[in-house]
Amino acid sequence: MNDLLLRALRCEKVERVPIWLMRQAGRYMPQYQLLRTKYSLWQLFHIPELAAEVSYLPVDLLDVDALIVFSDILVLAEGLGLKLEFPDKGGPRIYPPIRSKQQVDQLSIHAVEEKLIFVFETLRLIKKQIQVPLIGFCGGPFTVATYLIDSTSKEQFFYTKQWMKKDPQGFIELLTILTKASIIYLKAQVQAGVEVVQIFDSWANILSKEEFGQFCLPFLQQMVKELQSVVPVSLFCRDSSIRYEQLVGLAPTAISLDWHLPMKILRKKIPSSIALQGNLQPELLKKSSSEIEKKVSSFLNSMKGSRGFIANLGHGVLPDIPFENVKLFVDMVKSATI
């Protein structure tokens, strides 16, 4: 069993830096593109055998040090009784959109596990065939809320921002329900075999510092508190390298950082008891191999001797990045001395 990731999360000494990638199974892979000619995105998420096959691709082709289940943060909406669609163009759509307290009052968390059983079946299938840690995930309550409210809106975040200003208490009630549902969902993932969970609060960057403190931090805090006694918890949001002090206050196992500040500087500012993950800009992997080699080499050298360091990108792998460049990055990390 390759347990490099788990040991790095505990900030133990490791023989080399572990690496996995956010959105590591996806459109940049020719093998994934082939599957998409045969199956819809909805099918790939909902048919356990297909979701497991896609999930395993990065382990098979890149030899990364962890597998993150192929799913979407918005399947949680199905657990709440809402309809989720993945159109050929544009992002996912949720029906009906949630835009009133009356609708919030009608949401139920009682069938989350039952309605999302396809995810747990996928995890159990994966667990039978891997020798690396299995990562589960969900969206941060605020980020999921933005999709529930605005996925069908022509203007991004319009109704979300309107609701936050006009009825903050009603908005908080929605976040409270999403938090409870997310905790149920992640605990069920743990029961199905995941050894690490990551919470993606991707759209937290649209909030001011004060709004972040009101609409994100209390709910992330509750999730960390409920889950961290069971499983290591990593937090990610856009602007995480700028808002690291607020995230440190939640005392997660790890913080997944974007690229706005160098990892070396962040390591000095963040307590050594918290593992750090990241944080190269995904756009780097569109450049020439010589440029990638130079930047990755400098990045890894800057982190030599640091415990609790997990190599990753500062966001997910972009669909137009050449596969061979992703492989170059992974291979460089795995061959680097620490």
Side-chain angles (χ1 to χ4, degrees):
M1 173 71 179
N2 173 354
D3 64 348
L4 279 173
L5 175 69
L6 301 178
R7 288 189 282 141
L9 285 168
R10 295 192 294 265
C11 297
E12 297 176 0
K13 186 175 182 179
V14 291
E15 52 271 26
R16 66 168 175 82
V17 175
I19 179 169
W20 71 277
L21 303 171
M22 292 186 282
R23 208 181 293 148
Q24 66 185 15
R27 288 176 286 175
Y28 74 100
M29 290 183 152
Q31 295 82 354
Y32 173 83
Q33 292 285 10
L34 181 60
L35 283 168
R36 283 290 280 116
T37 64
K38 302 175 182 178
Y39 305 102
S40 69
L41 190 55
W42 193 95
Q43 287 175 308
L44 292 182
F45 286 142
H46 288 78
I47 300 173
E49 292 77 11
L50 292 176
E53 181 179 351
V54 176
S55 301
Y56 191 73
L57 284 174
V59 175
D60 187 34
L61 301 171
L62 295 170
D63 198 22
V64 289
D65 295 309
L67 184 152
I68 184 166
V69 62
F70 182 73
S71 187
D72 190 277
I73 64 170
L74 294 185
V75 298
L76 184 69
E78 296 181 77
L80 297 171
L82 303 172
K83 184 179 180 181
L84 174 62
E85 294 182 355
F86 294 95
D88 291 335
K89 292 184 179 180
R93 298 286 183 267
I94 292 171
Y95 300 97
I98 305 299
R99 292 176 184 165
S100 71
K101 185 181 181 301
Q102 290 74 20
Q103 288 176 289
V104 173
D105 291 339
Q106 292 172 2
L107 295 175
S108 173
I109 64 174
H110 297 301
V112 169
E113 289 185 68
E114 177 186 345
K115 290 181 181 294
L116 299 180
I117 193 168
F118 59 91
V119 177
F120 313 132
E121 290 177 356
T122 299
L123 291 168
R124 285 187 279 267
L125 285 175
I126 291 170
K127 192 68 176 174
K128 293 177 182 178
Q129 61 180 345
I130 61 170
Q131 294 298 315
V132 295
L134 177 56
I135 302 173
F137 70 91
C138 73
F142 175 78
T143 293
V144 175
T146 66
Y147 284 104
L148 265 59
I149 298 164
D150 270 306
S151 72
T152 59
S153 172
K154 292 182 179 179
E155 187 177 344
Q156 198 175 36
F157 308 121
F158 174 79
Y159 292 103
T160 299
K161 291 178 178 179
Q162 189 179 63
W163 194 349
M164 286 165 49
K165 291 177 181 178
K166 289 187 174 182
D167 182 20
Q169 190 54 46
F171 189 72
I172 285 172
E173 288 183 28
L174 173 59
L175 295 175
T176 300
I177 288 174
L178 291 174
T179 301
K180 292 177 180 177
S182 298
I183 291 169
I184 292 169
Y185 181 39
L186 288 180
K187 285 186 174 180
Q189 289 186 44
V190 173
Q191 290 178 345
V194 307
E195 296 152 280
V196 181
V197 297
Q198 180 151 311
I199 301 168
F200 289 87
D201 217 346
S202 304
W203 291 123
N205 65 314
I206 73 168
L207 300 172
S208 67
K209 183 177 181 180
E210 292 72 23
E211 290 170 336
F212 186 64
Q214 182 179 8
F215 298 120
C216 283
L217 291 181
F219 307 99
L220 295 176
Q221 176 73 84
Q222 185 178 346
M223 293 177 73
V224 171
K225 183 179 178 181
E226 287 270 357
L227 289 155
Q228 201 159 241
S229 61
V230 180
V231 67
V233 179
S234 175
L235 299 180
F236 170 80
C237 64
R238 287 185 176 96
D239 286 353
S240 52
S241 63
I242 298 171
R243 290 180 164 158
Y244 69 88
E245 288 181 295
Q246 290 173 288
L247 294 174
V248 164
L250 306 183
T253 311
I255 300 174
S256 191
L257 295 155
D258 67 10
W259 58 87
H260 294 304
L261 284 175
M263 185 68 89
K264 182 179 180 179
I265 291 176
L266 290 162
R267 180 70 285 177
K268 292 177 180 177
K269 292 176 177 289
I270 295 173
S272 59
S273 58
I274 297 177
L276 303 185
Q277 177 180 282
N279 70 340
L280 287 177
Q281 189 169 9
E283 294 282 346
L284 168 69
L285 298 186
K286 294 182 180 181
K287 298 183 181 295
S288 68
S289 57
S290 61
E291 289 178 280
I292 294 171
E293 288 172 355
K294 181 179 179 181
K295 184 71 175 179
V296 172
S297 179
S298 174
F299 171 65
L300 293 171
N301 284 335
S302 75
M303 295 302 291
K304 273 195 173 182
S306 296
R307 293 196 183 191
F309 169 50
I310 300 151
N312 207 311
L313 297 173
H315 200 267
V317 181
L318 299 170
D320 56 345
I321 290 174
F323 174 80
E324 58 269 21
N325 289 1
V326 179
K327 191 170 191 318
L328 173 61
F329 174 39
V330 173
D331 289 346
M332 284 190 69
V333 172
K334 294 184 66 174
S335 63
T337 57
I338 59 171

